[in-house]
Amino acid sequence: MKERSKSSSVSNLPLILNIDDFKGDFSFDALFGNLVNELLPSFQEDSADSAEGHGIGGTDVLPNGHTRTSSDATKFAQGLSAPLFPEVDALLLLFKNSCKELVDLRKQIDGKLSNLKKEVSTQDDKHRKTLTELEKGVDGLFNSFARLDSRISSVGQTAAKVGDHLQSADAQRETASQAIELIKYLMEFNRNPGSLMELSPLFSDDSRVAEAASIAQKLRSFAEEDISKAMPSVVGGATASRGLEVAVANLQEYCNELENRLLARFDAASQRRELSTMSECAKILSQFNRGTSAMQHYVATRPMFIDVEVMNSDNKLVLGDQSSQAIPNYVARGLSKLYKEITDTVRKEAATIMAVFPSPNDVMSILVQRVLEQRVTSLLDKLLEKPSITHPRPVGEGGILWYLRMLAVAYEKTQELARDLRAVGCGDLDVEGLTESLFSAHKDEYPEYEQASLRQLYQAKLEELRAESQKVSEPSGTIGRSKGASVASSPLEISVAAVTEFLRWNEEAITRCTLFSSLPATLAANVRSVFTCLLHQVSQYITDGLERARDSLTEAASLRERFVIGSSVSRRVTSQAEAAAAAGESSFKSFMVAVQRAGSSVAIVQQYFANSISRLLLPVDGSHAAACEEMATAMSSAEGAAFKGLHQCIETVMAEVDRLLSAEQKAADYHSPDDGMVHDHRPTNACTRVVAYLSRVLETAFTTLEGLNKQAFLTELVRCL
């Protein structure tokens, strides 16, 4: 804002406001300050001068905050008549003029805005027209570009076709050139046999062996085609055929000679461990029958296959001293060590094969197959000799069980070897299937050998028990020499320990069945056959034991019949009858013990079936039910013998009761049949002996019999009494 003089009047004020005051960062407080700051300072100076004039004498507080003295009270009353803010009029005039100027400025601004709107509208119309024209031009350009692109595409396709034709023509030209070159080389071989020395230097230069091998293979392929199609200019089938035969024969001879040279070079480099030379020869040899001869030659020359000491070392490591029979645990350790050495050797060979051969997987397949078919098979043939089932070696020398244990050890360790070789690498070879084939002949006949082994072990155990019984048994004699000894002693009592040993054999056999049987159906069939063998053994063993115990009861009954007390009651007859009774009671106790042991044996078999056999049979429909039926059938004969023996025991008890009662009655009749004396009602000696005898019988029954056997025996005994 422009400055003006304090003394000038308000009506003559110059322009107060300027439009530039409203530009930039506008502040109303700053605008107002600029308007009034020129008037307010004069008012502040007048107020200060008035305050100084009234400041003499006592002081009073004025309404405006100033103080005055009491002596100036009169002067103050006089001064109230003058205006306190003399610049008010000037400020009012200033504000009115400012408002007028603001209105004028607004009108000016509105006018300028109206002009700008008109100008902007005009320019907008011009720009729209320009944009429309530009859009039309751009559309035209796009159409031109589309036509150009179509033209370029058409030209490009034509060029591509031309390029394809040129490439095809070039390929045909190259093929024709190669064919001409091959025909020239073929003409060199189309000579009489034995003229290979006259070939071009290409086929005799050692530095160009790779090129010569490639051309030789192409010539063989070319020569083996129909000569009438390969060379139409040849006239006469006979001449063409004869020329083809000569070329093919000469080419075959040259390829054989070249392959032998390369193999010799490969062997020399192999002995010097020159991997680069070996790799070069292997690449060239791969053109001959895909390198099969080189692969097989390399594998066949490995020391593990040609060194006799290696084979002898294998046998010694696994079999040990040939003069003694190998122990399965020792063989297992030997196989583990040997197979680890084989795996390490194959791993070392794999490193060389990877660095030398262009198709290492094929070489590894041949190597692993050779290891299994030669080195492992040779060892297994010596280790696994099938024994004769009809005339096996005795159990003391291992029997059939030795062969089965060796077979299990060899099979398990060879399976581990197959997994290790698979981890090292064996190409596309089915190493697991090949390993199975090594044992196929043994696995096919395995169930028969397993059953034969169990039968052999069973017979050997029975012979052992008979031998032990003969050692501890006393020589049989008359009742006079040994009171009831010949009847009471049993040659072969039922032993739960023997049945437990049967189960141990069977459990070991089941373990081998699980090892050799991969399919559930095969496993179930083998397990059933082995378990059925156990059922027959246990059934036969306890049935024979019960029958022997029944024979003791029968023999005791016959002795009892021989010494029945008749009319004579001599001391000698009474003593013999007492001995027969003692023999009967001893046989009774022996049979009760036999029944108890038979029941325990059956319970052990049933528990074994539930814990170990059921889970192997359940996956196959019908196998579990069939095994349960076989178990019930096998035990029925033992149950029949047990029930027959229990009836004999009851007969023995009743016969002894009758003997005791009748013996006293006959003695009383003999001494005083009718003496007229008055008898008391106290129990007789016979009654006391009967009660004591029955007490012993019941005690024996309660301590030995269990379940249904106890219930049936006691029920029948009570009925008879």
Side-chain angles (χ1 to χ4, degrees):
M1 263 186 326
K2 297 180 180 180
E3 297 181 356
R4 63 176 181 269
S5 176
K6 293 181 182 180
S7 60
S8 61
S9 63
V10 178
S11 60
N12 296 327
L13 287 175
L15 184 62
I16 301 172
L17 300 175
N18 193 345
I19 196 163
D20 294 334
D21 295 336
F22 298 94
K23 294 181 179 180
D25 296 333
F26 175 74
S27 173
F28 182 79
D29 293 338
L31 178 63
F32 181 77
N34 291 333
L35 289 175
V36 302
N37 281 343
E38 295 180 358
L39 297 175
L40 293 181
S42 62
F43 171 74
Q44 294 174 356
E45 292 174 1
D46 293 343
S47 299
D49 293 342
S50 175
E52 291 176 359
H54 297 154
I56 301 173
T59 61
D60 289 330
V61 180
L62 298 176
N64 59 1
H66 296 282
T67 60
R68 65 188 178 118
T69 60
S70 58
S71 61
D72 294 334
T74 304
K75 294 180 181 180
F76 176 73
Q78 295 175 355
L80 288 175
S81 61
L84 296 178
F85 195 8
E87 298 294 335
V88 171
D89 295 334
L91 288 174
L92 289 175
L93 181 58
L94 176 63
F95 291 157
K96 290 179 181 180
N97 292 334
S98 297
C99 288
K100 291 179 180 180
E101 290 183 8
L102 284 174
V103 172
D104 294 338
L105 289 175
R106 184 180 66 182
K107 291 179 179 180
Q108 293 177 11
I109 295 301
D110 290 341
K112 291 181 179 180
L113 287 176
S114 178
N115 294 332
L116 287 175
K117 288 181 179 179
K118 293 178 180 179
E119 186 177 355
V120 168
S121 177
T122 302
Q123 294 297 330
D124 184 63
D125 293 338
K126 291 181 180 180
H127 284 298
R128 289 183 183 277
K129 293 179 180 180
T130 303
L131 287 175
T132 302
E133 294 176 357
L134 289 175
E135 288 178 356
K136 293 180 180 180
V138 170
D139 291 339
L141 288 175
F142 277 128
N143 294 332
S144 299
F145 282 135
R147 290 192 298 271
L148 180 60
D149 183 68
S150 177
R151 180 60 179 169
I152 291 173
S153 177
S154 177
V155 173
Q157 292 178 359
T158 303
K161 292 179 181 179
V162 172
D164 291 340
H165 288 302
L166 290 175
Q167 186 176 5
S168 177
D170 184 69
Q172 293 177 1
R173 184 190 61 81
E174 183 68 21
T175 302
S177 177
Q178 293 178 359
I180 293 173
E181 192 72 19
L182 290 176
I183 290 174
K184 291 180 180 179
Y185 288 125
L186 186 62
M187 295 303 294
E188 296 184 16
F189 286 95
N190 193 23
R191 299 173 182 172
N192 295 328
S195 59
L196 297 181
M197 299 299 295
E198 301 177 3
L199 296 175
S200 61
L202 169 64
F203 299 103
S204 58
D205 190 355
D206 290 340
S207 62
R208 303 175 66 184
V209 173
E211 184 181 358
S214 177
I215 292 177
Q217 291 301 314
K218 292 179 180 179
L219 288 175
R220 289 181 61 183
S221 301
F222 185 79
E224 290 172 358
E225 293 178 357
D226 188 1
I227 194 62
S228 61
K229 296 180 180 179
M231 294 184 296
S233 59
V234 177
V235 180
T239 304
S241 176
R242 182 178 179 278
L244 177 62
E245 292 176 357
V246 172
V248 169
N250 288 335
L251 278 170
Q252 184 64 46
E253 182 181 354
Y254 172 76
C255 289
N256 292 338
E257 187 271 337
L258 179 60
E259 189 173 4
N260 292 332
R261 284 165 50 196
L262 289 171
L263 289 175
R265 185 185 299 181
F266 182 86
D267 286 340
S270 176
Q271 295 177 0
R272 298 190 299 268
R273 298 294 298 172
E274 296 178 357
L275 298 183
S276 59
T277 305
M278 293 173 63
S279 177
E280 181 182 356
C281 293
K283 290 179 181 178
I284 299 174
L285 286 169
S286 64
Q287 301 181 39
F288 298 93
N289 298 323
R290 298 181 179 179
T292 303
S293 59
M295 299 176 189
Q296 294 177 346
H297 180 77
Y298 175 79
V299 172
T301 55
R302 296 305 90 201
M304 73 172 82
F305 302 127
I306 60 177
D307 193 347
V308 179
E309 294 183 359
V310 173
M311 308 302 294
N312 295 333
S313 176
D314 293 349
N315 297 332
K316 185 176 181 180
L317 180 61
V318 176
L319 300 176
D321 188 3
Q322 298 290 339
S323 60
S324 60
Q325 187 178 22
I327 302 174
N329 291 336
Y330 179 84
V331 171
R333 291 193 296 270
L335 283 175
S336 298
K337 186 176 181 181
L338 174 62
Y339 286 168
K340 184 178 183 302
E341 293 178 359
I342 291 177
T343 303
D344 294 339
T345 303
V346 172
R347 185 178 289 108
K348 293 178 182 178
E349 292 293 343
T352 303
I353 291 171
M354 294 295 178
V356 170
F357 288 92
S359 301
N361 289 336
D362 296 338
V363 186
M364 289 300 299
S365 177
I366 297 174
L367 176 63
V368 173
Q369 183 176 358
R370 186 71 175 268
V371 167
L372 293 176
E373 291 182 348
Q374 178 176 332
R375 195 169 179 184
V376 175
T377 301
S378 175
L379 179 63
L380 293 179
D381 290 342
K382 294 182 179 180
L383 182 62
L384 302 176
E385 295 182 2
K386 290 184 179 180
S388 173
I389 294 180
T390 56
H391 299 88
R393 68 174 72 180
V395 175
E397 299 178 6
I400 302 176
L401 181 60
W402 181 88
Y403 162 74
L404 293 173
R405 287 176 174 174
M406 285 296 184
L407 178 61
V409 168
Y411 182 79
E412 186 174 6
K413 295 300 179 181
T414 307
Q415 288 288 338
E416 294 178 1
L417 172 64
R419 289 191 291 270
D420 293 339
L421 293 177
R422 168 65 68 185
V424 173
C426 55
D428 297 332
L429 178 67
D430 183 11
V431 63
E432 290 81 6
L434 180 58
T435 304
E436 288 290 332
S437 67
L438 300 181
F439 294 90
S440 59
H442 299 277
K443 292 175 65 176
D444 292 342
E445 300 177 357
Y446 159 73
E448 299 177 6
Y449 278 97
E450 195 69 78
Q451 296 176 43
S453 174
L454 293 174
R455 290 193 297 269
Q456 185 186 28
L457 292 172
Y458 177 73
Q459 295 298 330
K461 185 63 178 180
L462 293 182
E463 293 175 2
E464 178 186 347
L465 293 175
R466 292 192 187 98
E468 292 178 356
S469 178
Q470 290 176 0
K471 290 181 181 179
V472 300
S473 63
E474 296 179 2
S476 60
T478 63
I479 293 181
R481 291 198 306 266
S482 178
K483 185 178 180 180
S486 63
V487 179
S489 61
S490 299
L492 283 175
E493 294 182 351
I494 296 176
S495 171
V496 178
V499 176
T500 303
E501 191 169 2
F502 299 162
L503 260 68
R504 182 175 57 81
W505 299 335
N506 201 265
E507 189 173 7
E508 181 181 347
I510 293 297
T511 303
R512 286 190 290 269
C513 288
T514 306
L515 178 64
F516 294 136
S517 305
S518 57
L519 299 177
T522 305
L523 176 61
N526 292 338
V527 168
R528 274 191 59 192
S529 64
V530 171
F531 182 67
T532 301
C533 189
L534 171 67
L535 293 177
H536 291 165
Q537 292 176 356
V538 174
S539 174
Q540 181 180 354
Y541 178 69
I542 62 178
T543 301
D544 292 346
L546 292 172
E547 291 294 341
R548 286 191 296 269
R550 284 186 60 208
D551 292 341
S552 298
L553 290 171
T554 303
E555 186 176 354
S558 63
L559 289 174
R560 186 173 60 250
E561 294 295 332
R562 288 171 54 190
F563 301 108
V564 173
I565 298 176
S567 59
S568 175
V569 288
S570 64
R571 185 181 301 274
R572 185 179 63 83
V573 173
T574 302
S575 175
Q576 291 176 344
E578 290 290 342
E585 185 174 354
S586 177
S587 299
F588 172 84
K589 292 181 179 180
S590 298
F591 185 81
M592 289 296 178
V593 172
V595 172
Q596 179 193 27
R597 293 177 180 177
S600 299
S601 300
V602 172
I604 292 174
V605 173
Q606 291 174 343
Q607 188 67 28
Y608 170 67
F609 176 78
N611 294 340
S612 303
I613 305 299
S614 295
R615 59 183 177 84
L616 302 177
L617 300 180
L618 285 174
V620 180
D621 294 338
S623 295
H624 186 271
C628 291
E629 292 180 2
E630 292 174 356
M631 185 164 53
T633 302
M635 299 306 169
S636 61
S637 60
E639 291 178 356
F643 281 114
K644 291 179 182 178
L646 291 176
H647 283 290
Q648 287 181 273
C649 288
I650 293 174
E651 292 175 357
T652 300
V653 172
M654 297 307 301
E656 179 63 14
V657 171
D658 291 340
R659 185 189 72 80
L660 292 174
L661 294 176
S662 61
E664 186 175 48
Q665 181 64 37
K666 291 179 180 180
D669 293 341
Y670 178 77
H671 291 292
S672 56
D674 189 11
D675 53 6
M677 296 178 62
V678 177
H679 299 282
D680 58 16
H681 297 284
R682 290 179 298 175
T684 63
N685 186 34
C687 291
T688 303
R689 295 182 64 185
V690 167
V691 171
Y693 175 73
L694 291 177
S695 297
R696 293 195 302 273
V697 168
L698 292 176
E699 182 181 1
T700 302
F702 273 105
T703 56
T704 56
L705 296 181
E706 295 179 357
L708 296 177
N709 292 332
K710 179 189 294 186
Q711 182 180 358
F713 173 77
L714 295 177
T715 301
E716 185 65 18
L717 179 61
V718 170
R719 187 186 65 80
C720 294
L721 291 174

